[in-house]
Amino acid sequence: INNLKITYEVNSNLLDKKQSAVAKIKYNDQDQFTFNVIKNGDLYGIKSDEVLYQYLTLNNENLRDVYTKLNVENPDGLPNKIYPINYNIYKNMDPNDKQQILARYQNLLNTQIPENHYSKQENVNVVSNGQTITANAYVLELSAQEFLALKIAFLEQLMSDDITLKYITEFIQMDEAYTVNIKEDIQEKINELKRNAVDEEEILKITAYEANRSLVTTTIETGKEIYKIDNDNKTENQKVTITKTTNEETPVTTTTTLERVTSNANNEFKIRVVSQTGETTTNDFALNFKLEGSTEDSLLNLTIELNSNDHNKINNIKFNSSKDFNAEVTVEELTAENSVRINDM
């Protein structure tokens, strides 16, 4: 696999909503397989001279008809059209909807959790990001039965929360009528939780540590494991470290670090997951994203690098993408002469 390489070239005409790509699979730098992809608006086509001499195309509309023709099970549970995922749904949410949602679930917490379950401790020493600091600790304690009741109450509230369900169906790209399916799934989960037995003596303890009006560390303790979340928001970067430790004779510790570096002109995002059993590291996984340049500079360069060490099996994968926004682009037109449309089969 070390001699295997995948290269691709993409040309985009944003004004005409057209895009083409050529991908090649190489072994020992020799072409083994080539395929072409073209996008004309909502029409997508793919071909490979080794397999297809015409483009096999799919029109991105009325997809449930296509699912039915292909004998796909439960086509009503799949999107009728695929849109780019909108990650800004919460940001662009109607302010009145946002206020109603926050108020609804804040009221749920207020009614489900008695005040005597909250406590505060001042001037507590806590270790955060390797340093001992003095902070105020805000503690919430719930029995396993109380936590189970809270989860059920939350799901029951969601069942009748048409506003939140509307945004969920929008995010998963389904019709609003799909809320019926979501409610059925929620009810199934509620029934499952009600059937579960809980350890009456188990306590869930959540502690948030605050210093200088900033959240520095949060711990979540259960009967089986402890989670610790450290926040490190410096001027040059933002970093969150999540540590999970099991309550076993030989503890298993998993440390996940998320870091965004903004100390230079580039943007970098790093993810690292390290697992240890006792003092032995069993897995070390790192994924780095680095974005250089901008559309204003006409050249944009993206580098993605993955490094993993799983029980001494070492892998390294590197991906690089460069985009030149000044290049003139011509994209082939998909026609009845050079393509076959799946929708019409």
Side-chain angles (χ1 to χ4, degrees):
I1 194 170
N2 292 330
N3 297 320
L4 188 66
K5 183 186 295 184
I6 299 175
T7 64
Y8 79 102
E9 180 180 335
V10 178
N11 292 308
S12 298
N13 187 323
L14 300 180
L15 291 178
D16 294 335
K17 297 182 179 179
K18 294 182 179 181
Q19 189 175 72
S20 67
V22 178
K24 296 181 180 181
I25 299 176
K26 298 173 178 282
Y27 186 78
N28 286 334
D29 287 328
Q30 298 295 317
D31 292 351
Q32 301 295 318
F33 190 82
T34 301
F35 61 90
N36 302 72
V37 179
I38 286 183
K39 175 183 181 294
N40 290 173
D42 279 334
L43 186 62
Y44 295 78
I46 184 171
K47 79 168 183 177
S48 170
D49 290 341
E50 290 85 355
V51 181
L52 299 168
Y53 294 97
Q54 284 187 306
Y55 284 97
L56 185 63
T57 65
L58 176 66
N59 200 16
N60 186 23
E61 60 181 19
N62 299 321
L63 293 180
R64 291 194 185 115
D65 292 341
V66 178
Y67 305 147
T68 301
K69 292 176 183 178
L70 297 175
N71 295 319
V72 175
E73 293 184 5
N74 188 26
D76 292 336
L78 299 170
N80 203 31
K81 182 174 182 178
I82 298 176
Y83 299 91
I85 296 176
N86 180 9
Y87 293 103
N88 292 317
I89 285 180
Y90 179 78
K91 179 182 176 181
N92 299 330
M93 186 181 292
D94 181 275
N96 291 330
D97 288 349
K98 187 182 296 186
Q99 185 176 1
Q100 287 188 52
I101 292 171
L102 292 175
R104 179 177 290 119
Y105 292 97
Q106 182 62 57
N107 183 62
L108 175 68
L109 293 175
N110 293 340
T111 55
Q112 289 292 318
I113 303 176
E115 288 187 8
N116 61 3
H117 283 44
Y118 296 97
S119 61
K120 177 183 177 182
Q121 299 173 350
E122 296 183 350
N123 300 322
V124 176
N125 289 332
V126 61
V127 177
S128 177
N129 298 300
Q131 295 184 334
T132 301
I133 60 175
T134 302
N136 295 324
Y138 301 87
V139 184
L140 166 64
E141 291 188 86
L142 294 172
S143 68
Q145 188 62 49
E146 288 171 328
F147 185 51
L148 176 63
L150 179 62
K151 289 190 287 187
I152 292 173
F154 175 85
L155 292 173
E156 289 175 338
Q157 177 68 73
L158 184 58
M159 281 270 288
S160 60
D161 184 358
D162 291 333
I163 297 177
T164 300
L165 291 176
K166 175 186 70 175
Y167 287 104
I168 292 175
T169 54
E170 181 183 338
F171 182 75
I172 62 176
Q173 303 184 9
M174 297 299 294
D175 304 328
E176 193 169 339
Y178 192 70
T179 55
V180 175
N181 302 70
I182 296 177
K183 289 182 178 181
E184 290 175 353
D185 291 340
I186 294 173
Q187 185 61 59
E188 185 177 332
K189 183 62 178 178
I190 291 173
N191 295 338
E192 178 187 333
L193 288 172
K194 289 181 176 179
R195 290 192 298 267
N196 288 345
V198 297
D199 184 349
E200 295 291 342
E201 296 183 358
E202 186 174 310
I203 298 294
L204 171 69
K205 182 178 180 181
I206 302 173
T207 307
Y209 296 89
E210 168 266 331
N212 299 320
R213 298 185 178 181
S214 295
L215 179 65
V216 291
T217 296
T218 303
T219 60
I220 303 172
E221 302 173 53
T222 71
K224 298 178 180 179
E225 52 224 0
I226 300 174
Y227 294 85
K228 187 169 184 277
I229 306 169
D230 287 332
N231 299 294
D232 187 4
N233 297 318
K234 298 179 180 178
T235 304
E236 65 272 16
N237 68 356
Q238 300 84 44
K239 183 168 72 172
V240 176
T241 303
I242 305 170
T243 305
K244 173 188 173 183
T245 305
T246 60
N247 291 328
E248 299 173 300
E249 184 176 348
T250 303
V252 177
T253 302
T254 304
T255 303
T256 303
T257 304
L258 309 174
E259 182 177 11
R260 183 186 175 200
V261 180
T262 56
S263 56
N264 50 40
N266 305 320
N267 285 295
E268 294 183 62
F269 183 69
K270 303 178 180 181
I271 303 172
R272 188 179 181 190
V273 181
V274 179
S275 297
Q276 291 180 293
T277 300
E279 299 296 326
T280 303
T281 299
T282 56
N283 184 279
D284 191 342
F285 171 92
L287 183 62
N288 297 336
F289 299 83
K290 185 176 182 180
L291 189 64
E292 301 171 279
S294 68
T295 56
E296 296 177 356
D297 299 331
S298 77
L299 190 64
L300 196 64
N301 189 68
L302 171 66
T303 302
I304 302 174
E305 187 167 6
L306 184 152
N307 292 284
S308 69
N309 185 341
D310 185 2
H311 294 85
N312 294 323
K313 294 180 181 179
I314 299 173
N315 292 295
N316 174 266
I317 299 173
K318 192 170 184 178
F319 167 88
N320 182 263
S321 172
S322 295
K323 294 185 179 181
D324 184 350
F325 294 92
N326 285 337
E328 294 186 5
V329 173
T330 301
V331 177
E332 184 179 359
E333 189 76 26
L334 292 170
T335 66
E337 286 72 32
N338 67 4
S339 65
V340 177
R341 190 174 301 189
I342 296 176
N343 306 69
D344 299 334
M345 289 182 176

